[in-house]
Amino acid sequence: MYETLLHFIFATTLQIMKSIFILLTTLLMTYSGLQAQQELLRPAPIAATANPVKLTLSGKITDAKTGEPLPGASVYFTDDKIGAVADGSGHFTLTNIPAGHHVVEISHTGYSTLVEHIELNADMQKDFALSSVITENQGVIVTGVSGATSIRKSPVPVTSIRKTQLLQTPSTNIIDAISKVPGVSQISTGPAISKPVIRGLGYNRVVVINEGVRQEGQQWGDEHGIEIDEMSVAKAEILKGPASLMYGSDALAGVINFITNVPVANGVLKGNILTNYQSNNGLFGINGSIAGNKNGLNWNLYGTHKTAGNYRNKYDGRVLNSGFNEKNFGGYIGVNKSWGYSHIIFSRFDQNLGLTEGDRDDATGKFILFAGSPLERIATDDDLKTRTLFVPKQRIQHNKLVLDNNFAFGKSRLKVNLGYQQNQRQEFGNPEDPEEKELFFDLKTFNYNVQWQLPKMKEWHTTIGFNGMSQQNQNKGAEVLIPEYNLFDIGAFIYAQRFFKKGTLSGGLRFDNRSVNSKELMEGTEVKFASFTRSFSNVSGSVGISYEPAEAVTVKANIARGFRAPTLAELASNGAHEGTNRYEYGNNDLSSETSLQMDGGIELNYEHFSINLSAFYNQMNNFIFYRKLEAAGGGDSLVDNGGEFIPAFLFSQHNAKLSGLEFSVDIHPHPLDWLHFENSFSFVRGRFDDRLDGFKTGSDNIPLVPAPRWNSEIRTDFKKAGKVLRNLYASVEMAKTFDQNNFFSGFDTETATNGYTLLNAGLGTDIVGKSKTICSIYFSANNITDAAYQNHLSRLKYAAENMVTGRNGVFNAGRNFSVKLNIPLEFKLK
């Protein structure tokens, strides 16, 4: 019955959105006609488009309670990528601002972020006052919307993570750094490899954006992470829920947007040196950056080097071949003027990492090196202590070049973002020939995104646009897992926001088409991959509202339809996957996944406490998953892979549904504003519509769904502590992960996972001198009690059994101490 009701609601919603679309089109045509008539009567102002007016915003930023100026506070126009910093008296001046509607973000360390919507038609003087009571998750976001929007006005749950929060969190990669957010998890293969999971969905169901371009690597694979330099990220935005309206295929679960390059204020040269050491695996990382802005000509350049040895835990000791190293660099150069901006962005990510197999000697329980080869032997202490990477290992290189443009035409804007990416992934798996590239994927992608933001019409902010990509994959390795292919993807959309006094209505429609041309491959006289062509089309849409009945209360509701076309791996795999220890078979009969998700939430931000509750229900059709194949005589179907027999898996699909919630509460009793007692809980339940692998013995649980999680933290924050310490904080956290007994037992794919509790702590401060920050220090301790545990989404959980101890798989990292030192540098440009 509820399915019929859902389909009725969705059909009705589509009809309403269709009517809105027709209405907006009619209004646009009428508006354009009136504008054309007015232009005929007013020839003189036409020159304003060719020579845009240079507008200025100036004012003073103060403490809302004391009235004291706040030197160093920032004012930032996100859409225009321009900003200013308050001087010693709290004053700021921002020039070269295009006319029209703007969303302004005012922020300062130790204060709540303030977001203002302003209409700028002439030079403006406006003062801002910031509250010292920190309200979590406030600010401006650009993810899932056509223009900068306040988090409060977004109808879907969005989390913004700033650089300071990232620095305070010990992590070995960027996905690990954001995985504490309620509703966000990670599929991991040791410290170097993490893939994002949002509300129980991962892989190609999560779109990752970096510098306005969707990251295209080999997202379908288990054994590599996101090719983005963790130490250079300035901000992360996480949207939870379908976002196909703006991003097309794949954004079923949500979007993670990493922002690396943020222009500095005019007349400033800024540098930064960041170092990190972690005790568990001896990780050492160093990052340096320099950025400047001279009369609108601005640039940034960064570089990172990171190296780590084998991690360790209480049960396994040091885990063989879990080390990694990275050498990354990037930056941009561009110009910002009153007509908008144009930036050229570049980056290179270069990572080498070992692939942990977990094979052990039956007699001693020690790890085996080069298992299954003539060189097989028990790993020595030197093997475990070295930072040398053994076979199997891999190298991932990701090069990216982006042209990011935003042009102002009167009160409308044209955004053009073009990107080229090359992702090369090489797997080395032959101990007798360590340089042989068993797998070598060479993926080239051209991304395009064009958006026209129309002039505001009676508080309606409307954007029309199209985006997509062209992609080509080549195989250059000794073995082949997926065929070579060409892919072309395009989608057109209309998105609108209507601002009311106490609410915001957002929604839109989109049509997508993705075509895939897979090429034939012969191995001798046999066809390994047959050629085929597939096309996938879909209509997506969403409509939602954010309602603010009171200053401290926000209520949100949204309904959205998303889709995901099958990947080439799901359609056509036929080979052994070295990093996953399985033989994969694709299924060319797969259809697109589609979802209908409803979200609802409420946020309360009062003087003494803050509460945030979000819940969702997601009905998915044609959910794609892989399952083990059974042998004719029972047991697993095994494939001979060069003398080693590995289990065979086939991609399949079935209808499913997911539901869950995220809840957080922050108690900060006045006048003890420096004290925070923060708690968060996240839960997701995923089920197929029917039991698979037998009615009685099978399972209806979706695979790779994270266990429920509860985090509780006591934290103190002091803006001033003596003469030389600023922004001093200390925290103690309990992170409880519950048992996961709702696992996909069908085809012996998953097993239950025991819960665990981790105790963590943190301490940090800014050290100042002569009113300037000399450096910032961040100490943290994770898993203080050195608990031995396995996360349900850890792939190493399914490594071989230790016959000596009887334990299955490899355990997660044990106790870890981390220290970060950040040294900022700043100079005035004459």
Side-chain angles (χ1 to χ4, degrees):
M1 179 177 179
Y2 66 88
E3 293 180 4
T4 305
L5 178 61
L6 284 176
H7 286 297
F8 172 75
I9 292 173
F10 182 62
T12 305
T13 303
L14 282 181
Q15 289 297 322
I16 294 172
M17 294 172 67
K18 182 179 179 182
S19 301
I20 292 174
F21 175 77
I22 294 172
L23 176 62
L24 289 175
T25 304
T26 304
L27 288 173
L28 175 59
M29 294 174 65
T30 304
Y31 177 84
S32 299
L34 291 174
Q35 285 291 94
Q37 295 177 23
Q38 291 173 1
E39 291 298 328
L40 289 174
L41 297 174
R42 296 184 305 164
I46 294 178
T49 301
N51 299 289
V53 178
K54 300 179 180 180
L55 301 179
T56 298
L57 175 68
S58 60
K60 185 177 182 180
I61 306 175
T62 58
D63 186 303
K65 184 176 181 180
T66 66
E68 294 180 355
L70 295 178
S74 67
V75 180
Y76 192 66
F77 285 57
T78 304
D79 269 342
D80 304 285
K81 295 191 176 181
I82 55 175
V85 177
D87 61 19
S89 60
H91 290 94
F92 70 91
T93 301
L94 194 56
T95 60
N96 283 332
I97 308 172
H101 180 84
H102 296 274
V103 181
V104 188
E105 184 179 60
I106 306 94
S107 61
H108 191 48
T109 305
Y111 290 81
S112 291
T113 299
L114 178 66
V115 179
E116 292 270 356
H117 287 249
I118 63 173
E119 199 70 31
L120 203 61
N121 298 308
D123 291 346
M124 179 183 291
Q125 198 281 330
K126 186 175 178 63
D127 297 334
F128 301 102
L130 298 182
S131 170
S132 60
V133 178
I134 299 178
T135 303
E136 299 293 336
N137 202 34
Q138 297 295 308
V140 173
I141 52 100
V142 295
T143 307
V145 291
S146 61
T149 301
S150 167
I151 291 178
R152 289 192 69 183
K153 297 185 181 300
S154 171
V156 294
V158 182
T159 300
S160 176
I161 304 176
R162 297 179 178 275
K163 183 71 172 183
T164 301
Q165 294 170 274
L166 293 173
L167 289 173
Q168 293 176 2
T169 304
S171 57
T172 54
N173 61 72
I174 190 59
I175 300 303
D176 185 39
I178 65 173
S179 61
K180 286 179 61 176
V181 173
V184 179
S185 307
Q186 58 177 320
I187 296 172
S188 64
T189 311
I193 306 173
S194 296
K195 304 185 78 68
V197 175
I198 298 179
R199 290 176 163 179
L201 298 175
Y203 295 93
N204 283 67
R205 301 180 183 96
V206 176
V207 167
V208 175
I209 304 293
N210 183 225
E211 302 303 343
V213 174
R214 60 186 288 167
Q215 192 83 357
E216 285 295 321
Q218 310 287 343
Q219 300 99 301
W220 49 269
D222 287 307
E223 69 292 347
H224 67 98
I226 304 300
E227 302 91 355
I228 295 175
D229 180 29
E230 173 208 5
M231 299 183 78
S232 298
V233 172
K235 182 182 180 183
E237 297 177 359
I238 304 167
L239 183 152
K240 291 177 281 189
S244 293
L245 172 61
M246 298 303 297
Y247 301 102
S249 176
D250 301 356
L252 277 179
V255 179
I256 301 176
N257 185 5
F258 295 109
I259 300 169
T260 300
N261 296 291
V262 179
V264 299
N266 187 35
V268 172
L269 180 67
K270 278 191 173 184
N272 198 83
I273 300 173
L274 171 64
T275 62
N276 179 210
Y277 174 77
Q278 298 186 26
S279 64
N280 186 281
N281 59 356
L283 182 149
F284 176 76
I286 183 168
N287 170 270
S289 65
I290 185 167
N293 189 335
K294 179 66 173 178
N295 297 326
L297 177 63
N298 49 94
W299 67 92
N300 179 42
L301 183 65
Y302 67 83
T304 296
H305 176 66
K306 188 187 293 186
T307 176
N310 296 319
Y311 81 90
R312 54 190 170 187
N313 61 61
K314 185 165 62 176
Y315 285 168
D316 300 309
R318 292 191 182 274
V319 176
L320 181 66
N321 211 28
S322 59
F324 64 95
N325 61 75
E326 294 178 16
K327 295 177 182 178
N328 313 319
F329 68 87
Y332 84 98
I333 185 170
V335 61
N336 290 60
K337 295 293 183 180
S338 56
W339 49 261
Y341 67 81
S342 182
H343 295 166
I344 297 176
I345 306 168
F346 59 93
S347 65
R348 176 179 175 83
F349 179 91
D350 191 349
Q351 182 186 58
N352 293 276
L353 63 156
L355 296 173
T356 299
E357 292 186 307
D359 293 308
R360 303 174 192 266
D361 178 64
D362 290 347
T364 64
K366 293 183 178 181
F367 286 111
I368 294 177
L369 194 60
F370 310 133
S373 78
L375 302 179
E376 177 180 313
R377 61 180 175 82
I378 296 175
T380 66
D381 288 342
D382 289 339
D383 294 331
L384 295 171
K385 293 178 181 179
T386 184
R387 292 178 183 247
T388 300
L389 303 179
F390 299 106
V391 170
K393 62 181 179 179
Q394 64 177 323
R395 183 181 185 185
I396 300 172
Q397 297 167 292
H398 194 99
N399 304 306
K400 183 160 51 183
L401 183 66
V402 180
L403 179 60
D404 187 23
N405 305 279
N406 189 330
F407 305 110
F409 296 97
K411 292 189 177 181
S412 65
R413 291 173 179 268
L414 177 64
K415 297 182 177 181
V416 181
N417 186 292
L418 306 174
Y420 174 78
Q421 306 174 68
Q422 182 182 32
N423 182 279
Q424 295 183 315
R425 181 160 68 89
Q426 305 169 50
E427 289 190 8
F428 306 86
N430 184 357
E432 297 179 86
D433 185 3
E435 298 305 313
E436 179 188 57
K437 302 176 180 65
E438 288 199 342
L439 292 176
F440 187 171
F441 302 100
D442 189 358
L443 181 67
K444 301 180 179 71
T445 306
F446 172 72
N447 302 87
Y448 58 93
N449 184 8
V450 179
Q451 299 182 17
W452 180 28
Q453 293 182 349
L454 305 175
K456 183 180 67 173
M457 294 184 293
K458 295 184 178 180
E459 298 303 322
W460 279 101
H461 297 255
T462 307
T463 299
I464 58 176
F466 63 93
N467 53 33
M469 63 181 176
S470 176
Q471 197 169 79
Q472 180 187 56
N473 183 70
Q474 292 180 299
N475 292 313
K476 299 180 178 180
E479 301 178 5
V480 180
L481 176 61
I482 63 173
E484 296 187 343
Y485 67 88
N486 295 323
L487 178 151
F488 183 75
D489 179 283
I490 188 169
F493 66 90
I494 179 170
Y495 177 85
Q497 282 184 308
R498 172 63 162 91
F499 294 103
F500 300 91
K501 185 177 181 180
K502 290 189 175 182
T504 304
L505 177 67
S506 306
L509 281 173
R510 179 188 180 101
F511 175 78
D512 280 279
N513 179 262
R514 172 173 290 186
S515 59
V516 179
N517 179 20
S518 181
K519 300 179 181 180
E520 182 184 70
L521 176 66
M522 300 289 294
E523 284 191 347
T525 59
E526 297 184 359
V527 177
K528 183 176 180 67
F529 298 112
S531 64
F532 67 87
T533 300
R534 292 288 305 271
S535 181
F536 305 92
S537 299
N538 187 75
V539 175
S540 305
S542 73
V543 61
I545 188 170
S546 175
Y547 176 56
E548 303 170 33
E551 183 179 353
V553 181
T554 305
V555 180
K556 300 184 177 187
N558 191 75
I559 182 170
R561 187 177 193 268
F563 98 107
R564 182 180 77 87
T567 67
L568 255 293
E570 294 164 339
L571 291 170
S573 287
N574 184 8
H577 207 167
E578 180 68 43
T580 62
N581 196 38
R582 63 173 182 250
Y583 197 99
E584 297 178 355
Y585 290 104
N587 184 349
N588 199 16
D589 295 325
L590 296 176
S591 302
S592 293
E593 293 181 338
T594 59
S595 71
L596 178 65
Q597 179 163 318
M598 293 180 290
D599 283 272
I602 183 170
E603 299 175 7
L604 307 175
N605 290 303
Y606 289 99
E607 184 179 19
H608 302 290
F609 66 91
S610 301
I611 295 177
N612 191 321
L613 174 64
S614 297
F616 71 95
Y617 176 84
N618 187 2
Q619 178 70 48
M620 292 193 64
N621 293 324
N622 303 317
F623 179 88
I624 299 173
F625 63 102
Y626 58 76
R627 60 180 179 85
K628 279 185 179 180
L629 291 178
E630 290 187 21
D636 294 340
S637 175
L638 302 177
V639 179
D640 185 356
N641 180 38
E644 180 185 5
F645 289 88
I646 58 177
F649 287 76
L650 173 71
F651 286 98
S652 184
Q653 59 186 172
H654 204 79
N655 293 342
K657 50 186 175 289
L658 297 96
S659 59
L661 59 85
E662 296 99 36
F663 172 77
S664 62
V665 56
D666 178 8
I667 301 173
H668 40 81
H670 187 74
L672 303 178
D673 300 332
W674 49 268
L675 179 63
H676 290 256
F677 181 39
E678 301 177 4
N679 294 269
S680 66
F681 175 75
S682 57
F683 168 82
V684 60
R685 181 78 164 94
R687 304 180 71 175
F688 291 111
D689 286 358
D690 305 290
R691 283 184 175 271
L692 304 181
D693 192 26
F695 179 76
K696 293 183 178 181
T697 61
S699 174
D700 62 355
N701 297 311
I702 291 177
L704 296 173
V705 172
R709 189 176 68 195
W710 176 279
N711 280 21
S712 187
E713 179 184 71
I714 297 177
R715 179 186 177 93
T716 61
D717 289 282
F718 300 95
K719 288 193 290 294
K720 294 182 179 180
K723 295 182 178 180
V724 297
L725 301 183
R726 297 290 185 272
N727 304 312
L728 174 68
Y729 74 91
S731 64
V732 178
E733 177 196 51
M734 181 204 72
K736 169 66 177 178
T737 299
F738 294 86
D739 295 344
Q740 180 53 291
N741 294 316
N742 298 316
F743 57 96
F744 182 51
S745 61
F747 315 103
D748 294 324
T749 303
E750 288 186 330
T751 58
T753 306
N754 294 328
Y756 53 90
T757 301
L758 304 181
L759 182 64
N760 310 315
L763 175 68
T765 187
D766 297 336
I767 299 176
V768 301
K770 297 181 179 179
S771 301
K772 291 186 177 181
T773 301
I774 299 173
C775 67
S776 302
I777 302 177
Y778 308 90
F779 297 99
S780 61
N782 273 29
N783 193 4
I784 295 174
T785 62
D786 200 26
Y789 70 98
Q790 290 176 322
N791 187 282
H792 185 67
L793 301 187
S794 171
R795 292 182 52 253
L796 297 183
K797 173 177 180 282
Y798 298 99
E801 178 184 358
N802 186 331
M803 302 304 294
V804 174
T805 64
R807 302 188 187 101
N808 284 309
V810 176
F811 284 71
N812 287 71
R815 183 186 298 114
N816 182 43
F817 297 100
S818 171
V819 57
K820 296 179 182 179
L821 176 65
N822 190 53
I823 304 173
L825 306 169
E826 183 173 338
F827 308 94
K828 293 292 183 181
L829 290 175
K830 297 182 179 179

